[in-house]
Amino acid sequence: MRRLSRRAFAVAAVSALAMAPRASSAPGSRGAGTAAGAAGAGGGAAGSTAMRGMWLATVANRDWPSRPGLPAADQRRDLVKYLDTAVKYGLNTVFFQVRPAADALWPSAHEPWSECLTGVQGRDPGWDPLGTAVTEAHARGLELHAWFNPYRVANHTDRSRLAAAHPARKHPDWVVPYGGKLYYNPGLPEVRAFVQEAMFDAVRKYAVDGVHFDDYFYPYPVAGQSFDDAGAYGTFGGGFESRAAWRRDNIDRLVRETAARVEEVRPAARFGVSPFGVWRNATTDSRGSRTQGGVQTYDDLYADTRKWVQQGWIDYIVPQLYWHIGMAAADYAELLSWWSKAAEGSRTELYIGEALYKAGDAAQPAAWQKTGELSRHLTLAKDHPQVRGHVFFGARDVAANPIGAMARVAADHYGKPARTTR
């Protein structure tokens, strides 16, 4: 079976951008981390602390393990090989997906073992992937950020396939089926409290360097379907001008509460988010980017990512600018400039998410058939001092080095080692 890409769980990035634009409708001052605190994204200077990261995805076995059910020794070997690959290309940070779908890649007190390990949700794999990843990453001078998906429960709608003790089976009223998947309802305060407790079980147990969310808050829109949270809105939505405003407040609360808990539980760690790259189109909001995004995080995922940056609620943001320079619907250069301006003067550090997975893909436009496209991104970013580094999706693509694109980035921009701040 063909493995799913990160964006395939919702809408393909290009397809989303082809859609017509839609109509419009604090934790205090946490000390900013400096893992990417040096000016400039290139990281060419000796001792640079620019962010040089890669995402290591586990949902649907995207990057690792290569398939469920491998012996524990093989899984551990392959995980360590990815860490060695990060070192090989001069990277300094790995974002390891440890809660892909309301499950866990560590012995959790709240949720079952992930099925990506054994093929059976809840089955003990016989080892501790997160504990191993933290230890082995630190031994190689890498930071390890624990990557969590807050609200996705399953990539199907059959609750009987969930582990018998799964919280979603114990609390069916917490769950909303939508678009062929199951999600926790972000509008329920008890859900927000539970998902934080589930995530912070790992943050308490392991010396992770960061807590990381991806782009999934409310789910990506599915044509002809609506997310059924009318009951929660009727109970908790009083005082809001619209359901959309209430939904955004629910996500704001998750972000602010998570930031406060990171500071309390593991103050040396940093908290960051990697959103879809279009906050709003300028045709929707004059403050938005000159893009034609069919998905806008503010309107469709109810994530006001611009506000989080400007209010300094998060330590870093990694917008997924998964398009090439000059793309009509979403020009990388335009979005790079827009996000740089959004981050200017904020304590939130800006890194850029890069679509290494598109390099050499025959289904992609001509720009992605050129070895140097991603290197051009990093060169362009040097003109924007707000950009403190880059993160590449995903780990299997870093290892594969399609059309030599990753090697070109390393040769052009990562000539000197990058430090971390552990």
Side-chain angles (χ1 to χ4, degrees):
M1 182 178 73
R2 186 174 66 87
R3 293 189 217 168
L4 298 175
S5 72
R6 184 177 189 182
R7 185 63 59 239
F9 297 108
V11 290
V14 173
S15 297
L17 288 159
M19 294 165 57
R22 295 169 60 99
S24 178
S25 62
S29 54
R30 293 184 65 213
T34 55
S48 168
T49 52
M51 167 60 71
R52 304 178 186 175
M54 75 177 186
W55 282 289
L56 178 53
T58 59
V59 65
N61 297 89
R62 197 278 175 189
D63 292 331
W64 177 90
S66 58
R67 60 177 175 84
L70 289 174
D74 292 350
Q75 291 185 358
R76 185 187 187 283
R77 178 202 64 215
D78 292 346
L79 178 60
V80 169
K81 283 175 66 175
Y82 273 127
L83 302 178
D84 288 337
T85 295
V87 173
K88 172 184 175 181
Y89 285 108
L91 307 183
N92 60 10
T93 305
V94 174
F95 298 83
F96 183 33
Q97 190 176 36
V98 298
R99 186 179 182 266
D103 51 16
L105 273 77
W106 74 95
S108 169
H110 303 283
E111 294 179 310
W113 282 104
S114 176
E115 67 180 326
C116 75
L117 297 169
T118 65
V120 178
Q121 190 177 65
R123 179 176 293 173
D124 189 336
W127 70 299
D128 181 354
L130 177 54
T132 298
V134 170
T135 298
E136 296 294 339
H138 289 173
R140 288 160 174 76
L142 298 167
E143 288 195 7
L144 196 290
H145 290 223
W147 166 14
F148 303 95
N149 184 286
Y151 292 124
R152 181 170 56 218
V153 174
N155 287 314
H156 57 77
T157 58
D158 185 356
R159 292 178 190 168
S160 69
R161 290 171 55 185
L162 302 175
H166 198 292
R169 296 185 71 170
K170 293 182 176 180
H171 303 279
D173 54 311
W174 288 6
V175 179
V176 178
Y178 177 76
K181 301 177 176 63
L182 296 175
Y183 299 91
Y184 282 130
N185 187 345
L188 297 175
E190 58 268 36
V191 165
R192 191 171 69 249
F194 170 75
V195 298
Q196 289 181 62
E197 196 59 32
M199 294 184 291
F200 277 88
D201 181 75
V203 180
R204 291 188 185 94
K205 289 176 178 176
Y206 303 98
V208 296
D209 301 292
V211 172
H212 185 74
F213 289 171
D214 54 28
D215 49 324
Y216 295 94
F217 295 98
Y218 280 87
Y220 277 78
V222 176
Q225 298 190 31
S226 60
F227 188 82
D228 185 10
D229 57 358
Y233 179 52
T235 302
F236 301 107
F240 291 91
E241 63 183 17
S242 65
R243 192 183 301 193
W246 169 73
R247 285 175 173 177
R248 277 188 289 274
D249 183 71
N250 293 330
I251 303 305
D252 282 353
R253 288 173 184 266
L254 172 72
V255 169
R256 295 182 70 177
E257 290 169 7
T258 300
R261 293 184 76 158
V262 172
E263 185 174 13
E264 174 189 357
V265 173
R266 193 165 293 281
R270 297 186 302 139
F271 173 44
V273 178
S274 173
F276 183 74
V278 177
W279 172 71
R280 297 188 100 184
N281 299 314
T283 51
T284 302
D285 186 325
S286 61
R287 299 169 297 173
S289 53
R290 292 174 297 177
T291 51
Q292 301 168 35
V295 170
Q296 302 170 90
T297 61
Y298 181 94
D299 301 275
D300 297 308
L301 307 182
Y302 306 96
D304 193 351
T305 52
R306 177 179 179 271
K307 179 170 71 175
W308 305 345
V309 170
Q310 297 196 331
Q311 295 294 322
W313 292 357
I314 54 180
D315 294 314
Y316 65 85
I317 193 161
V318 196
Q320 298 169 21
L321 304 193
Y322 287 175
W323 307 288
H324 60 270
I325 296 171
M327 181 178 179
D331 184 353
Y332 180 94
E334 158 65 16
L335 284 162
L336 181 71
S337 177
W338 187 91
W339 278 103
S340 296
K341 291 174 183 175
E344 189 172 9
S346 170
R347 63 169 290 276
T348 300
E349 294 188 341
L350 173 63
Y351 315 138
I352 304 300
E354 302 286 353
L356 177 62
Y357 72 95
K358 289 187 174 181
D361 182 346
Q364 298 298 328
W368 292 107
Q369 312 313 315
K370 300 175 182 177
T371 297
E373 175 65 22
L374 284 178
S375 181
R376 291 176 66 210
H377 292 190
L378 273 66
T379 298
L380 185 62
K382 289 179 180 179
D383 294 332
H384 298 272
Q386 294 81 15
V387 178
R388 305 296 187 91
H390 302 258
V391 183
F392 300 91
F393 189 80
R396 79 168 187 228
D397 308 286
V398 174
N401 184 31
I403 64 171
M406 193 67 216
R408 177 69 174 271
V409 166
D412 290 351
H413 302 280
Y414 296 164
K416 301 291 184 180
R419 297 196 312 265
T420 65
T421 59
R422 285 189 304 99

